[in-house]
């Protein structure tokens, strides 16, 4: 099983929104991207409850990103058994949804007015073909692959111009849909126990993280971001380093570990490598020894000596 982790690109977008001045030209787009990504992630989290009804012997993989020999493709959730596989595309879209299968697009009537999106049905079926290609590349036998588009938003209605479209469902219907699929496969298993475990291992080892970089996408650099340590109580900026701790100039709150979220922002925005000078510049610290103590106490891996020492943020 591949557990779900918090997406790195959302972490980066949150850091950008936190550190970018409110009047920055890219701030509206940053907020829009973050809103959409958080909504999608919420849809994926909504799968947890219906998936808990499935048998323990089902192999479940979240956020699986594979390479089919030509393109990468990402699957929100993959369910693997010895007889079949199921690709689940998670959505969290409210409003009146209409799946136009004649022209392959999704339209929505919502508070913001009518909107048009690419077709999730087309996408999940493409992922099925790509997964079939990946299985062929790895030498695994043909195994039936099903696909579903699962919407978790409570305030949505779903319609289509294709009465035969049966792969778009609400999240709460997922266990019953899985039972329906499983009932079609009472014959012999397609994969032996050893092949099933081998396929699970191959899926895990071939997963590649999506390294999409919003810093490059928005053409940002370190000079665009607000520096300093945010107050962990009132969120004022910056806190001041005094006598081994951080103190807020607004509410006087003290926190000796307040630099940790700031350095997490640094790793998302700038990179994992940091030296004493870079740390002082970002945290607004004058003392090299104070910065050295902060980095040393975090038990970070380091390379080099003296002024040439570089630390690697986790």
């Amino acid at each position: 099983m591949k557990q779900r982790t918090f997406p790195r690109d959302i972490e980066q977008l949150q850091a950008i929104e936190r550190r970018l001045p409110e009047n920055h030209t890219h701030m509206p787009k940053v907020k829009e991207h973050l809103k959409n990504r958080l909504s999608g992630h919420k849809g994926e989290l909504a799968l947890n409850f219906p998936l808990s009804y499935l048998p323990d012997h089902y192999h479940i993989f979240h956020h699986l990103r594979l390479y089919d020999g030509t393109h990468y493709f990402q699957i929100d959730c993959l369910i693997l058994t010895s007889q079949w596989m199921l690709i689940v595309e998670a959505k969290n879209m409210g409003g009146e949804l209409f799946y136009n299968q004649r022209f392959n697009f999704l339209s929505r009537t919502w508070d913001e007015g009518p909107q048009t999106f690419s077709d999730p049905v087309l996408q999940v079926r493409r992922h099925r073909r790509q997964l079939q290609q990946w299985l062929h590349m790895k030498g695994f036998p043909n195994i039936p692959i099903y696909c579903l588009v699962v919407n978790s938003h409570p305030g949505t209605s779903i319609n289509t111009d294709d009465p035969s479209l049966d792969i778009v469902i609400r999240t709460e219907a997922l266990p019953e849909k899985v039972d329906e699929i499983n009932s079609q496969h009472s014959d012999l298993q397609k994969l032996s126990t050893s092949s099933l475990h081998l396929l699970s291992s191959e899926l895990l080892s071939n997963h590649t993280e999506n390294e999409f970089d919003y810093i490059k996408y928005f053409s940002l650099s370190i000079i665009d971001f607000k520096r300093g340590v945010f107050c962990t109580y009132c969120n004022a900026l910056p806190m001041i380093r005094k006598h081994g701790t951080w103190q807020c100039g607004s509410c006087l709150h003290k926190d000796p570990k307040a630099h940790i979220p700031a350095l997490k922002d640094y790793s998302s925005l700038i990179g994992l490598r940091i030296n004493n000078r870079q740390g002082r510049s970002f945290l607004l610290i004058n003392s090299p020894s104070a910065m050295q103590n902060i980095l040393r106490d975090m038990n970070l891996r380091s390379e080099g000596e003296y002024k040439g020492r570089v630390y690697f943020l986790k």
Side-chain angles (χ1 to χ4, degrees):
M1 176 179 288
K2 182 181 181 296
Q3 300 289 347
R4 183 184 293 108
T5 56
F6 194 74
R8 294 180 182 177
D9 65 317
I10 296 183
E11 284 188 346
Q12 188 182 55
L13 279 171
Q14 289 175 329
I16 292 173
E17 184 191 39
R18 193 161 40 243
R19 295 278 171 178
L20 209 59
E22 195 63 35
N23 61 353
H24 194 282
T25 55
H26 287 311
M27 182 59 91
K29 283 292 185 181
V30 170
K31 289 181 179 292
E32 180 183 354
H33 276 76
L34 180 56
K35 177 184 176 182
N36 292 338
R37 285 295 291 117
L38 286 173
S39 177
H41 183 60
K42 185 177 180 180
E44 294 167 22
L45 291 176
L47 294 175
N48 289 348
F49 183 68
L51 288 175
S52 69
Y53 284 94
L54 302 187
D56 291 338
H57 64 270
Y58 284 11
H59 296 232
I60 301 175
F61 304 83
H62 297 283
H63 281 164
L64 195 62
R65 185 170 180 264
L66 303 171
Y67 183 66
D68 68 1
T70 305
H71 303 286
Y72 283 97
F73 62 104
Q74 184 160 316
I75 296 173
D76 290 339
C77 177
L78 178 67
I79 302 173
L80 169 64
T81 77
S82 61
Q83 297 176 309
W84 50 267
M85 304 174 78
L86 171 62
I87 299 172
V88 179
E89 175 70 19
K91 295 297 179 183
N92 179 42
M93 301 181 70
E96 298 178 11
L97 305 182
F98 187 84
Y99 285 81
N100 190 314
Q101 296 303 283
R102 181 183 179 187
F103 297 107
N104 297 113
F105 68 88
L106 170 64
S107 63
R108 175 172 75 164
T109 303
W110 191 229
D111 295 340
E112 298 90 349
Q115 297 172 293
T116 302
F117 304 90
S118 57
D119 186 7
V121 173
L122 205 63
Q123 176 183 334
V124 76
R125 286 173 173 165
R126 181 174 65 248
H127 288 170
R128 177 171 59 187
R129 293 193 300 271
Q130 290 178 289
L131 182 56
Q132 288 170 335
Q133 172 63 19
W134 183 87
L135 290 169
H136 177 73
M137 284 172 47
K138 298 298 179 179
F140 288 100
N142 289 330
I143 181 171
I145 302 176
Y146 299 87
C147 51
L148 291 174
V149 177
V150 180
N151 196 315
S152 63
H153 200 288
T156 187
S157 63
I158 301 173
N159 290 290
T160 179
D161 59 351
D162 182 1
S164 67
L165 183 65
D166 61 352
I167 69 169
V168 179
I169 65 171
R170 295 184 63 87
T171 302
E172 56 265 27
L174 180 58
E176 286 69 28
K177 196 67 176 180
V178 170
D179 286 343
E180 179 184 320
I181 293 172
N182 196 53
S183 67
Q184 302 173 30
H185 295 275
S186 57
D187 53 348
L188 294 176
Q189 61 186 30
K190 301 290 185 181
L191 296 172
S192 65
T193 301
S194 60
S195 295
L196 183 63
H197 288 300
L198 177 60
L199 176 52
S200 293
S201 298
E202 282 289 302
L203 288 168
L204 289 173
S205 63
N206 281 262
H207 166 73
T208 305
E209 289 290 341
N210 186 358
E211 301 295 340
F212 188 85
D213 189 353
Y214 281 103
I215 303 298
K216 292 181 179 178
Y217 180 79
F218 291 116
S219 300
L220 300 172
S221 68
I222 191 170
I223 62 173
D224 292 300
F225 301 119
K226 294 180 287 189
R227 296 178 296 157
V229 174
F230 284 98
C231 177
T232 51
Y233 184 77
C234 74
N235 209 41
L237 184 74
M239 297 185 84
I240 307 300
R241 186 74 175 176
K242 289 183 178 181
H243 308 300
T245 191
W246 295 94
Q247 182 172 348
C248 178
S250 297
C251 70
L252 303 183
H253 173 69
K254 294 182 179 181
D255 186 346
K257 301 294 185 181
H259 55 271
I260 293 179
L263 290 176
K264 186 176 181 180
D265 284 351
Y266 184 96
S267 68
S268 295
L269 301 173
I270 312 303
L272 297 177
R273 296 167 58 95
I274 189 170
N275 59 29
N276 190 294
R277 177 184 56 79
Q278 291 166 331
R280 283 184 282 125
S281 175
F282 192 74
L283 300 184
L284 301 180
I285 294 177
N286 293 322
S287 169
S289 60
M291 191 67 231
Q292 181 180 348
N293 290 338
I294 287 173
L295 295 171
R296 183 191 61 215
D297 292 346
M298 292 179 66
N299 295 317
L300 301 172
R301 182 172 69 87
S302 64
E303 291 180 357
E305 297 291 337
Y306 306 110
K307 291 185 178 180
R309 177 168 292 176
V310 175
Y311 296 85
F312 296 86
L313 299 170
K314 297 178 182 177

